[in-house]
Amino acid sequence: MLYDYLRRWWRLLVLAAFIGGTAALSYQVANVNPLDYRADVTVAIMDPAPPLQKPPVVVVNLIATELTSEEAAIASGRAMVAAMANYTNAPVVTKDFFVSHRPNLHGWWKDIILGIIVGTLLAIGSIYVWEDTKSYLRHTQQTP
């Protein structure tokens, strides 16, 4: 019975899965793909004792967590430098400060799989309603 079902409706099932996956991918590309911004700061912690012309004692690379806006990444980087200066109680010199960004591509395939499943389930439901309607019409035509 399942073989007969798949033999008759396989084209519609494949088409529904393809349309569902394509719709999910286009939705994700258009709407759900914000950029992740990250602030990378390289600071040098100077020796607090005079003379201050000594080379840096420690060079630290601070990396902020991934944020959704460039301004938030800059504020996070500045806050990290301020916290480092307060924590060490020594002069802190910022060597490099740059913000990098990249598209957020976490779990893009999950949306496609969900779209395929939803499309296939919609097709199965439509097929069921179609066959049940045909069966009901045949039944009502046979009985007077």
Side-chain angles (χ1 to χ4, degrees), residues 63-81:
I63 300 173
T65 58
E66 294 176 348
L67 301 164
T68 57
S69 71
E70 188 173 1
E71 293 81 18
I74 291 171
S76 176
R78 287 181 179 163
M80 287 189 311
V81 171

Side-chain angles (χ1 to χ4, degrees), residues 22-104:
T22 304
L25 180 63
S26 64
Y27 174 77
Q28 191 219 14
V29 167
N31 297 326
V32 191
N33 204 8
L35 294 176
D36 283 339
Y37 291 90
R38 189 174 92 172
D40 297 331
V41 184
T42 303
V43 296
I45 303 171
M46 305 296 284
D47 188 3
L52 293 177
Q53 289 81 20
K54 291 183 181 177
V57 176
V58 178
V59 176
V60 181
N61 190 13
L62 305 173
I63 300 173
T65 58
E66 294 176 348
L67 301 164
T68 57
S69 71
E70 188 173 1
E71 293 81 18
I74 291 171
S76 176
R78 287 181 179 163
M80 287 189 311
V81 171
M84 180 66 74
N86 287 337
Y87 181 73
T88 60
N89 200 16
V92 175
V93 178
T94 304
K95 297 285 188 181
D96 292 323
F97 191 117
F98 61 93
V99 176
S100 59
H101 62 90
R102 63 181 177 84
N104 182 0

